[in-house]
Amino acid sequence: MNTTSFSVPVDGLCHLSNETRMIATPWSRMVRGIGLGQYPVAYDPDAAARIRETFALLGAKGVDSSNSYTAFSRLLAEFILGVADPARPLRRADLEQDLGPVLDAVRAEENPYFRLMAGCILMDSVAKLGLDRTLLVNAGTDFPAEILAVADAIAPDQIKDENAGRHGHYEKLSAYSAVFLAMGQLGLQERLVSGQRNYVREALGLLEKIPAPFFRGRGGAVLLSVISMLGYERFIFGGDRDYIKEVLDHLDRADELNNPPAFPQPMSESFPKIYPLLTMLNAIAMSGRSEEYLTYGRDRLAEAKELMGRITPVERTHMGLYYLMALHNLGRLDDQVPYLPGLVENIVGEWVHIDPGANYFLNGIAYAYVIQTAMLTGRMDLIGDKTLERLVDCFPDLDRTDDDRVNRPYPFAYAVNVLGEIGCSHLLFEPRDAYGGATPMAWVIDRLSEGGVEEHRLYMLNHALLGYALRMRGADRKETRLTRGFRFRRDAVEPRWR
């Protein structure tokens, strides 16, 4: 018998915002920090206290002093919560005073990629909180220009993970996606194409400097989607090049190029093919030219369906939400999935066979995808007490190997994010037997290396906490002017506000 009570912000694909339709899956949010704060809700003082408690635990572990990104995240979370709290008056002088240390913390981050990411999250937060952009652009400062300029300092192949040396300009491309979207949120997108440099063209030019089809497709899809959101599709396919076709051509050469990505756990041969394809299908949906691209080179929907049938069941829990969202945005869900309940039940029901503590990646984040798939399709009846218990109690099992231990913040961030979205974050802050009577949050943070210096993915926990804080800006702040004004071609009835 299920006793858990869920408080979900959406209950079906037809209720999703444009931002969610572009960035529905947690990867972009947790790893890249874009699209944070989806599903806005009313301010919750208990949830705010949990966020502050978590940053206090990180501070007690010495993370603040050793990790400038965490120091920034704590300050920004406090700023967001202060603005969101309806009991606190919003005076311009107070906002400027509170924002000063946050700006200083962004500028203090030495790693250019993380400095840019921090700046983008701050700009996105200002827009979503409904604050005046003159807090960031005024006679004394031009913060967006500062952050845009940081992209020039991001060198290729700097990501330190299992694919080190295979990324090319993947990180810089991702940085451009983030800063373009953040500037669009502030209504400053014209700066990207109207000055001495056309940053949109420069970013598109980086695609061919990412050698692996997996990274070119996945990173390129986000960039192409953002450019479409900004209304600059003419740079994608309006000149002598068509960048969507070029990316699809590159994906088709995956076997020939033989440059597959490495994963923390063994994956099927089909997984690195389906992942970039599904993200590109979503970019195609946003481009408004699905009729042309879905049959370019091959039948792309038939290819996606075939690959979905060839990946393993646990891989399908990762890819299911990407697949459903792409088909929904393309207006092809009904003809490609004639019986949607059956597919959702198959994907979500796989949790029964998955041990989330077996490893940090393949199994470790599967439950987050399963729960979000259930939430976005309105099938939370498929999630029960046992599902949540397995997820919440799995993290001690990641002591099995040093690699799982060091990367424990990766799946834990996904769990913090999804449990917040379904109104169950309290489970991480209550004593549990699996943690010897400690709370999962306190236990996980206590097991970090001193200062968190070994855990290079700890920043993902910061993103989960910032997203949680930004959600509490109020249910009336559902979308910014940028995302509200976008229209998917499949359901467009009026021209864009531009």
Side-chain angles (χ1 to χ4, degrees), residues 21 37 53 113 118 176 180 213 226 234 327 352 417-418 442 469:
R21 292 171 70 176
E53 177 186 343
Y113 179 79
Y176 270 134
F180 289 2
V226 169
R234 66 184 183 276
L327 293 179
V352 176
N417 178 68
V418 75

Side-chain angles (χ1 to χ4, degrees), residues 173-428:
L173 184 89
S174 299
Y176 270 134
S177 299
V179 74
F180 289 2
L181 183 57
M183 293 186 73
Q185 295 283 44
L186 292 176
L188 298 174
Q189 60 265 47
E190 283 298 320
R191 289 186 176 192
L192 301 173
V193 299
S194 60
Q196 293 183 340
R197 295 172 61 177
N198 186 314
Y199 289 93
V200 171
R201 289 193 186 279
E202 289 185 25
L204 289 168
L206 293 175
L207 285 167
E208 61 189 8
K209 298 180 180 179
I210 302 172
F214 178 83
F215 293 111
R216 188 181 300 189
R218 188 172 70 167
V222 177
L223 176 68
L224 294 165
S225 296
V226 169
I227 292 173
S228 292
M229 177 68 77
L230 298 177
Y232 293 142
E233 300 98 323
R234 66 184 183 276
F235 297 111
I236 297 175
F237 46 69
D240 57 352
R241 299 179 65 173
D242 187 319
Y243 289 95
I244 291 180
K245 289 182 177 179
E246 289 183 19
V247 172
L248 292 174
D249 286 339
H250 198 67
L251 296 186
D252 292 343
R253 297 179 60 207
D255 291 338
E256 170 197 342
L257 295 170
N258 192 26
N259 190 8
F263 294 100
Q265 283 81 50
M267 309 293 280
S268 70
E269 291 184 5
S270 295
F271 185 81
K273 294 181 179 179
I274 192 170
Y275 198 154
L277 173 61
L278 294 181
T279 57
M280 281 300 297
L281 289 181
N282 211 45
I284 288 170
M286 296 194 65
S287 76
R289 296 177 60 160
S290 59
E291 298 85 357
E292 176 180 357
Y293 294 126
L294 290 181
T295 56
Y296 173 72
R298 61 183 68 175
D299 185 332
R300 299 294 167 177
L301 294 183
E303 180 185 17
K305 182 177 289 188
E306 178 189 4
L307 290 170
M308 279 292 289
R310 285 164 47 188
I311 58 178
T312 66
V314 65
E315 291 171 345
R316 203 170 294 120
T317 65
H318 289 231
M319 292 293 99
L321 186 54
Y322 285 91
Y323 185 56
L324 293 172
M325 188 56 56
L327 293 179
H328 172 65
N329 289 340
L330 288 165
R332 300 296 300 274
L333 190 57
D334 288 345
D335 70 90
Q336 293 295 307
V337 184
Y339 186 59
L340 179 61
L343 178 60
V344 173
E345 289 165 13
N346 178 270
I347 293 170
V348 176
E350 192 60 32
W351 72 265
V352 176
H353 308 291
I354 297 172
D355 173 8
N359 51 68
Y360 79 87
F361 172 68
L362 181 57
N363 288 38
I365 64 175
Y367 274 43
Y369 276 107
V370 159
I371 294 169
Q372 288 188 312
T373 299
M375 180 183 77
L376 295 190
T377 56
R379 292 302 309 274
M380 286 301 291
D381 60 293
L382 301 174
I383 303 297
D385 296 346
K386 189 64 176 178
T387 323
L388 300 186
E389 288 171 7
R390 280 198 190 179
L391 172 60
V392 172
D393 290 342
C394 78
F395 296 100
D397 292 340
L398 295 177
D399 277 340
R400 291 172 180 167
T401 70
D402 288 341
D403 191 42
D404 285 322
R405 175 185 57 78
V406 169
N407 286 287
R408 185 158 36 212
Y410 191 128
F412 191 67
Y414 274 68
V416 172
N417 178 68
V418 75
L419 290 174
E421 289 176 353
I422 63 173
C424 293
S425 63
H426 60 90
L427 295 174
L428 297 173

Side-chain angles (χ1 to χ4, degrees), residues 32 90 96 98 113-114 125 148 152 181 210 258 262 316 352 396 400 407 449 490-491 497:
R32 296 298 173 191
L90 286 181
E96 292 175 347
D98 294 345
Y113 179 79
F114 281 91
S125 298
L148 181 60
D152 289 336
L181 183 57
I210 302 172
N258 192 26
R316 203 170 294 120
V352 176
R400 291 172 180 167
N407 286 287
S449 60
R490 56 147 286 186
D491 49 16
W497 52 264

Side-chain angles (χ1 to χ4, degrees), residues 52-172:
R52 292 183 170 112
E53 177 186 343
T54 303
F55 279 112
L57 290 169
L58 290 168
K61 193 65 179 178
V63 176
D64 264 14
S65 58
S66 64
N67 188 311
S68 55
Y69 198 79
T70 296
F72 150 76
S73 299
R74 176 179 57 80
L75 288 167
L76 180 56
E78 193 60 53
F79 177 81
I80 292 169
L81 293 173
V83 173
D85 187 350
R88 185 173 183 265
L90 286 181
R91 292 187 288 262
R92 173 76 185 213
D94 293 335
L95 290 172
E96 292 175 347
Q97 180 176 329
D98 294 345
L99 194 58
V102 184
L103 293 169
D104 291 341
V106 174
R107 292 162 176 152
E109 172 58 58
E110 294 183 359
N111 182 297
Y113 179 79
F114 281 91
R115 184 160 73 251
L116 181 142
M117 189 158 55
C120 290
I121 294 172
L122 173 55
M123 288 190 282
D124 187 55
S125 298
V126 166
K128 288 175 177 173
L129 289 167
L131 300 177
D132 195 322
R133 74 183 184 194
T134 58
L135 287 166
L136 301 175
V137 186
N138 50 59
T141 188
D142 190 338
F143 185 73
E146 284 183 45
I147 298 304
L148 181 60
V150 172
D152 289 336
I154 299 174
D157 287 319
Q158 297 301 300
I159 303 174
K160 308 301 181 186
D161 64 12
E162 59 274 358
N163 285 287
R166 300 178 181 175
H167 296 99
H169 280 279
Y170 176 63
E171 194 167 45
K172 188 171 185 177

